[in-house]
Amino acid sequence: MNDHYLKKLDRVTAILTQLQSKPIVRAQDLAKKFDVSIRTIYRDVKTLENAGIPIIGEAGSGYSLMDGYKLPPIMFTKEEVLSFITAEKLMQRFSHESLGNHYRTAMEKVRSVLKYSDRNLLANIEKQIDIFDNYPKTEDKIKNIIPTILESIAEKVQISIDYKAVNEEISTRTIEVVGVFFEFNFWYIIAYCTLRNDFRQFRIDRILKLTKTQTPFLQEYGQINDYRKKPNGNKTTVKLLVDKKIMGHLGNSKVYYGLTEEKETKKGFELTFETEWITDGFPRWLITFADYAEIIEPEYLKITMKELIQKVSKNFYA
């Protein structure tokens, strides 16, 4: 069998896997995924149909398997089996508790369909992989909170939450969730808040109570990244000129404080931030490397920094 037919066999098998795992598969997406023409995808689908696979749909609209049609379990490659155990280790360290429990049961099902040799492979290798995480774990206040939030997105219904802000103030909000994301060891929601009539970000471990309502929302919000990239009206633009020698020590902290642009110049790196913490959090972070940084704008940040440095000086040189 020549290389052309081997590639086609691999591609047709992968297309079948896509059909098993998704409700609708578009030819355009498959062509992009496998880097072939749409016409080639049409021929591959025809190959599956000729093999007796009941595929519903047509070119231009998308394909799916006939409802109720079952295929034998798919066999995993050795590389895929090894990737499972690596993913499991990552989930143990970085997943929210409500997700981790479901992932463990899913992995038990995956293990049950593995070949005996692959089960032995997992058993022998899983103790040789570890993920070291020094962040403290957040406590689950509500069981299955993330699955419930994801259900509200899928069903397009509002949820009601009791939320404790960073200043300890508790408020009740009705929100329409756009999506969830993980950043700097915390899970967050981006949602439309009916109280504020605007989009807001909520840290999931600060939700004290959550109720999925029966009230639907009709608005199509799009993808979560569309909202994470949008500037917030409460943010302040800050520009710093930072010495090159300190850049390696800033790590992810510069992203946490709202980095939007990083440009190298002859004098150093010009960093642009969009920050909500201009009065307190940002100046206190900046003071940790202030001897290697120059404030370009805003002017009042220079005044804030002078006042903060004077306050610190009084505490140590009283």
Side-chain angles (χ1 to χ4, degrees):
M1 186 179 292
N2 62 35
D3 187 56
H4 168 75
Y5 287 107
L6 283 173
K7 286 182 178 178
K8 179 173 182 177
L9 179 60
D10 288 342
R11 191 174 60 249
V12 168
T13 303
I15 291 172
L16 182 55
T17 301
Q18 293 285 303
L19 288 167
Q20 287 181 267
S21 60
K22 296 179 180 179
I24 296 289
V25 180
R26 299 192 313 156
Q28 301 96 305
D29 298 332
L30 292 172
K32 185 177 180 180
K33 179 180 178 64
F34 300 113
D35 194 23
V36 295
S37 69
I38 293 180
R39 189 175 294 276
T40 297
I41 296 299
Y42 294 159
R43 288 196 293 263
D44 291 340
V45 171
K46 191 66 177 176
T47 299
L48 287 170
E49 290 176 330
N50 291 338
I53 306 298
I55 297 174
I56 301 172
E58 55 186 30
S61 60
Y63 301 105
S64 63
L65 286 177
M66 182 183 292
D67 190 33
Y69 180 73
K70 301 295 183 184
L71 284 167
I74 294 172
M75 301 309 294
F76 300 107
T77 66
K78 185 179 294 185
E79 291 78 11
E80 289 168 339
V81 170
L82 290 173
S83 73
F84 290 150
I85 191 62
T86 307
E88 186 175 23
K89 293 290 183 179
L90 284 167
M91 287 293 288
Q92 288 171 1
R93 288 288 186 270
F94 294 110
S95 74
H96 193 271
E97 184 181 337
S98 61
L99 292 176
N101 292 337
H102 295 297
Y103 187 83
R104 278 192 291 274
T105 59
M107 274 300 299
E108 288 172 4
K109 293 176 182 177
V110 169
R111 290 172 190 265
S112 70
V113 300
L114 293 177
K115 294 183 295 184
Y116 185 77
S117 59
D118 289 339
R119 291 180 209 169
N120 284 341
L121 179 66
L122 277 185
N124 292 333
I125 203 69
E126 62 184 349
K127 293 180 180 178
Q128 309 309 122
I129 303 173
D130 208 346
I131 307 294
F132 298 105
D133 173 26
N134 295 320
Y135 287 102
K137 287 291 181 185
T138 56
E139 243 181 75
D140 242 0
K141 296 182 177 69
I142 303 170
K143 186 178 180 182
N144 287 332
I145 184 168
I146 291 185
T148 303
I149 292 168
L150 294 178
E151 283 176 11
S152 79
I153 299 172
E155 297 170 9
K156 297 192 71 172
V157 294
Q158 296 178 344
I159 58 176
S160 174
I161 61 172
D162 288 350
Y163 187 75
K164 181 191 287 187
V166 67
N167 62 1
E168 301 295 313
E169 182 180 335
I170 298 174
S171 61
T172 298
R173 309 287 188 96
T174 299
I175 61 176
E176 300 175 354
V177 184
V178 176
V180 300
F181 67 94
F182 181 81
E183 187 174 57
F184 301 107
N185 210 53
F186 292 104
W187 284 92
Y188 295 86
I189 296 173
I190 286 182
Y192 180 81
C193 177
T194 60
L195 178 65
R196 304 299 184 199
N197 292 319
D198 201 358
F199 293 93
R200 289 291 186 268
Q201 184 171 299
F202 302 94
R203 219 173 81 180
I204 285 179
D205 64 303
R206 289 183 181 152
I207 297 175
L208 306 178
K209 182 181 177 182
L210 181 145
T211 305
K212 190 172 66 170
T213 73
Q214 299 300 313
T215 306
F217 59 87
L218 303 177
Q219 180 67 39
E220 292 289 343
Y221 290 120
Q223 299 180 7
I224 186 171
N225 286 338
D226 297 336
Y227 296 87
R228 280 176 50 75
K229 292 174 183 174
K230 284 185 179 179
N232 187 307
N234 297 323
K235 290 183 179 180
T236 302
T237 301
V238 176
K239 290 184 181 291
L240 304 177
L241 183 62
V242 179
D243 195 313
K244 294 179 182 180
K245 69 178 72 173
I246 199 67
M247 285 295 294
H249 296 280
L250 299 185
N252 287 330
S253 64
K254 61 182 183 290
V255 179
Y256 180 78
Y257 283 96
L259 180 73
T260 58
E261 186 180 6
E262 183 176 306
K263 184 168 61 178
E264 187 172 5
T265 69
K266 292 181 179 179
K267 294 183 178 180
F269 280 86
E270 187 176 299
L271 307 183
T272 303
F273 298 84
E274 295 286 340
T275 181
E276 296 176 347
W277 307 318
I278 191 65
T279 58
D280 192 32
F282 194 92
R284 292 183 182 279
W285 172 67
L286 177 55
I287 204 172
T288 62
F289 60 98
D291 50 337
Y292 291 99
E294 175 187 337
I295 299 171
I296 301 173
E297 64 173 88
E299 193 65 28
Y300 67 83
L301 179 58
K302 297 179 182 179
I303 299 171
T304 303
M305 289 298 294
K306 287 178 182 177
E307 292 174 351
L308 181 58
I309 290 169
Q310 287 172 359
K311 185 178 179 180
V312 171
S313 298
K314 287 180 182 178
N315 289 343
F316 286 96
Y317 298 102

